[in-house]
Amino acid sequence: MKILIPLKQVPDSTVRVSVAPDGKSIKTEGITWSISPYDEYAIEMALERKDDDPSTVVSVVTVGPARSRDALRQALAMGCDDASIVIADEAIPPVAIARALAKVIEDAKPDLVLCGKQASDDDQGFIGPALAEVLGWPHVATITKAVPADGSVELWREVEGGHEVWTARLPALATVHKSEKEPRYPSLPGIMKAKKKEIPERPFTALGVDSSGPMLEVLSMEPPPARGAGKILKDGDPRHLADQLATALRDEAKVL
Amino acid sequence: MKVLVVAERKGTELRRVSLELAAKATQLGDASVVEIGGERYSPLPFVSALAKKVQADAPDLVLLGATQNGRDLGARLAARLGRAYAADVTEIAAQGGSLEITRPMYAGKVRARMRVPLPAVVSIRPGAMRLREGAPAPQVTKIEADAAAEKLTFTKFAAVASGGKRVSLAEARVVVSGGRGLKGPEHWNLVEELADALGGAVGASRAVTDAGWRPNEEQVGQTGKTVTPDLYVALGISGAIQHLAGMTSSKVIVAVNKDPDADIFKVADYGVVADVFEFVPAFTEAVKKVRST
Ligand SMILES: Cc1cc2nc3c(=O)[nH]c(=O)nc-3n(C[C@H](O)[C@H](O)[C@H](O)COP(=O)(O)OP(=O)(O)OC[C@H]3O[C@@H](n4cnc5c(N)ncnc54)[C@H](O)[C@@H]3O)c2cc1C
Ligand SMILES: Nc1ncnc2c1ncn2[C@@H]1O[C@H](COP(=O)(O)O)[C@@H](O)[C@H]1O
């Protein structure tokens, strides 16, 4: 089985994001970049299938600036088999990103495509469903488990109260909410191997896909409103503190 | 502006977010509300039915709730119709020939004001729009999901045993979350009893869902749910940046932690330095007392 994961490089989840002087973008100087967290879960999910069946081939691809190669190396070091990049330095309409990924997928012919449920920079959750739409494939959103069978795959989707289990004929696409295990760390041999792998690149313009499409325009960005320093209750009998808090929530905060 | 609201139902009732959307839509312009009937949500049958409706009515704006299904349906619909798409919007206004919206980005660490060209599809975060109490129930047109468009097979529903039926996390006005400080799943009755006393939903940190103490759907934070209740109570949660990303927009935050230097206290309106095992049972009793008087 061939599994392909479109991934995006984003600021690491530990980065304290701050707004740049232009007021419409974030400061990127000196920040750490990583694979977007849900994409990392998608990789882990694919590698778990590879653990079960070593004939599984796991590929990663990204559309983005040259720095995104580091995210692909990270994926190779985790154990993915191959990686490629479509270089796109300028802002491209999201639907055109989906078209570019569709082109890569038509060439690579994977059985299963796993996207993250959303990229933790734009937080849109658009590319996965849009890619399935461009490909004309079915998709299942926000899965937590993929169990391959003959010519099909069982996709588990966590919903309120349990899991819906869907069966999709291959090829199919799913967006990933979580893997069964935590994303694995790259192993030392994995890192060494990843260093030596070629990462073929193509410029976006070489794909010959339509680059038109609606775009959102950022007018301004700001940090969420700062929270004022709160009240600290301590050093008392728990029952007394509890009464104090309940009364404050009713009379001051008015939430009870 | 012509606005089409896509309503969702939970059981027999419209979801609260759908009522919020309907109220907002009448402010934005000429509003109508549609509901898609079908046994359960599936992208292709729902998108197919909704796309036909949108092509027939030609609304400038399609509004959905930013729920698990609403976000999925909205994205694929926008792709099919070549419309602009904005997810999880918290403010929206018409501005000239386009929309001006506000939405969180970078896992809630930034708020962006954006221009969205029309025609558009927008999903709105539950709880972000005001609901006028006593407003008349919206008139809902029902369309049927297009079963012929289905390419998937529904195999089964695997239920998880869970303690009773509580409010869903994303829409709850009160959320009580437990962290690793609770030491194990066997102590979750403390969290649940407090949530019940407050009439709220139960959440958890990722340390807890990763350990398998609680189901993933209860996780709050960057890789879990974003919640914006009136009251958020964090029990035994350290306040890692990824947890804060999911809950700092709550109106009032209460944190209980035995470590006075825990980061969670930096965002708490009320911080209690105490042992959860001593404090929480007493607090649950105090809440019951205060609410009954
Ligand atoms: C990519 C990525 C994404 C992530 N996404 C999320 C996310 O969505 N949500 C999330 O929550 N985390 C997320 N995390 C994990 C996050 O970094 C923290 O590891 C996690 O939030 C810690 O959970 P915790 O606060 O329950 O546990 P801990 O950090 O272990 O904190 C436990 C707290 O309990 C207190 N405590 C212990 N005993 C008691 C007691 N008896 N009484 C009172 N207090 C007590 C301790 O003082 C401590 O502060 C993510 C991490 C990464 C790398
Ligand atoms: N530029 C990109 N290159 C490759 N994959 C992407 C890109 N942008 C988004 N994706 C994939 O689509 C998912 C959803 O992204 P988004 O729609 O930006 O929230 C991500 O988790 C990735 O799997």
Side-chain angles (χ1 to χ4, degrees):
Chain A
M1 171 166 215
K2 276 175 89 169
I3 307 179
L4 182 140
I5 297 137
L7 66 79
K8 193 170 187 188
Q9 189 194 43
V10 300
D12 186 78
S13 75
T14 55
V15 169
R16 297 202 175 263
V17 174
S18 59
V19 179
D22 72 355
K24 338 171 153 192
S25 59
I26 64 149
K27 281 189 199 148
T28 51
E29 264 158 58
I31 70 172
T32 311
W33 299 88
S34 294
I35 302 171
S36 183
Y38 294 108
D39 304 354
E40 223 179 353
Y41 282 131
I43 292 168
E44 174 59 31
M45 186 180 279
L47 293 176
E48 282 167 18
R49 298 289 70 84
K50 192 176 163 72
D51 295 340
D52 296 345
D53 174 0
S55 74
T56 308
V57 177
V58 182
S59 314
V60 286
V61 60
T62 192
V63 180
R67 64 164 155 74
S68 320
R69 277 172 175 282
D70 295 342
L72 297 174
R73 290 249 181 256
Q74 214 178 318
L76 291 172
M78 285 172 76
C80 294
D81 296 285
D82 57 77
S84 68
I85 181 167
V86 174
I87 299 282
D89 286 317
E90 280 145 74
I92 291 170
V95 69
I97 303 263
R99 286 187 205 114
L101 291 170
K103 183 75 177 58
V104 170
I105 287 163
E106 278 156 12
D107 295 345
K109 298 189 175 53
D111 303 294
L112 181 63
V113 173
L114 298 177
C115 287
K117 90 164 178 179
Q118 69 197 60
S120 72
D121 51 359
D122 61 40
D123 287 327
Q124 278 270 67
F126 175 74
I127 299 291
L131 175 56
E133 181 64 27
V134 175
L135 291 165
W137 292 8
H139 84 273
V140 174
T142 53
I143 66 161
T144 52
K145 191 154 100 174
V147 188
D150 205 19
S152 68
V153 62
E154 209 178 61
L155 301 164
W156 290 59
R157 176 172 195 246
E158 197 172 81
V159 295
E160 266 171 54
H163 285 91
E164 293 177 354
V165 185
W166 295 85
T167 305
R169 300 264 306 266
L170 299 174
L173 181 146
T175 70
V176 173
H177 176 59
K178 212 159 188 181
S179 48
E180 285 181 86
K181 295 195 206 110
E182 280 305 283
R184 63 195 65 190
Y185 289 105
S187 62
L188 203 53
I191 295 170
M192 299 314 288
K193 231 158 106 189
K195 274 196 185 145
K196 286 193 219 116
K197 283 218 169 114
E198 286 258 351
I199 299 181
E201 75 170 58
R202 286 195 272 180
F204 178 85
T205 45
L207 295 178
V209 300
D210 177 6
S211 63
S212 68
M215 279 242 261
L216 308 190
E217 179 198 350
V218 177
L219 302 170
S220 64
M221 275 188 185
E222 55 181 48
R227 302 195 69 96
K231 270 195 190 162
I232 295 288
L233 311 177
K234 59 176 181 187
D235 301 331
D237 167 54
R239 219 155 338 134
H240 175 66
L241 292 178
D243 286 336
Q244 230 182 313
L245 177 61
T247 311
L249 291 179
R250 181 188 61 188
D251 300 341
E252 282 174 22
K254 303 198 188 312
V255 288
L256 281 195
Chain B
M1 177 164 36
K2 220 168 142 179
V3 186
L4 180 67
V5 171
V6 183
E8 272 186 75
R9 211 170 274 279
K10 188 183 179 191
T12 56
E13 296 203 14
L14 286 183
R15 279 186 179 269
R16 183 185 165 95
V17 62
S18 303
L19 303 176
E20 292 165 357
L21 296 184
K24 188 68 200 181
T26 45
Q27 283 173 14
L28 289 169
D30 176 9
S32 55
V33 182
V34 67
E35 180 190 352
I36 306 166
E39 208 178 328
R40 63 176 56 76
Y41 172 73
S42 180
L44 287 172
F46 273 56
V47 167
S48 171
L50 184 56
K52 281 179 201 145
K53 174 80 179 158
V54 172
Q55 273 153 348
D57 295 4
D60 304 288
L61 172 63
V62 179
L63 284 184
L64 304 99
T67 58
Q68 187 182 20
N69 294 342
R71 290 190 66 158
D72 186 48
L73 175 58
R76 190 144 188 176
L77 178 78
R80 177 160 304 182
L81 301 175
R83 286 179 166 229
Y85 177 63
D88 208 21
V89 165
T90 54
E91 288 169 44
I92 183 167
Q95 192 63 256
S98 53
L99 296 170
E100 223 177 270
I101 57 120
T102 303
R103 58 184 302 275
M105 285 178 72
Y106 296 92
K109 294 172 188 167
V110 172
R111 290 203 299 189
R113 210 159 49 83
M114 305 179 107
R115 194 189 331 274
V116 182
L118 292 171
V121 177
V122 169
S123 68
I124 305 259
R125 174 175 289 194
M129 302 294 150
R130 242 343 113 58
L131 190 59
R132 272 175 303 126
E133 297 302 335
Q139 212 179 335
V140 182
T141 312
K142 199 158 177 180
I143 58 173
E144 280 312 309
D146 182 359
E150 185 60 290
K151 289 185 182 172
L152 300 168
T153 312
F154 181 76
T155 310
K156 65 179 175 202
F157 186 81
V160 288
S162 72
K165 266 275 143 271
R166 283 201 181 72
V167 218
S168 84
L169 196 52
E171 289 173 282
R173 300 329 298 152
V174 175
V175 173
V176 181
S177 290
R180 189 142 52 190
L182 274 128
K183 306 277 189 292
E186 66 279 12
H187 297 131
W188 237 255
N189 63 313
L190 289 181
V191 184
E192 288 173 341
E193 282 159 20
L194 178 57
D196 288 344
L198 290 165
V202 169
S205 70
R206 176 160 146 187
V208 164
T209 54
D210 280 354
W213 297 356
R214 301 296 299 178
N216 291 330
E217 62 169 15
E218 288 181 6
Q219 184 184 314
V220 171
Q222 167 154 11
T223 44
K225 295 210 163 68
T226 301
V227 296
T228 49
D230 294 333
L231 174 61
Y232 186 85
V233 183
L235 305 174
I237 292 178
S238 59
I241 188 167
Q242 299 94 349
H243 187 80
L244 302 187
M247 44 64 78
T248 33
S249 303
S250 307
K251 214 162 102 197
V252 175
I253 296 173
V254 169
V256 184
N257 198 304
K258 68 176 184 190
D259 172 8
D261 297 323
D263 283 330
I264 192 77
F265 289 133
K266 295 194 184 128
V267 301
D269 300 284
Y270 296 94
V272 182
V273 182
D275 186 312
V276 285
F277 298 103
E278 291 174 7
F279 179 79
V280 176
F283 183 48
T284 303
E285 286 315 307
V287 167
K288 286 187 193 156
K289 206 163 66 193
V290 161
R291 291 195 89 184
S292 66
T293 54

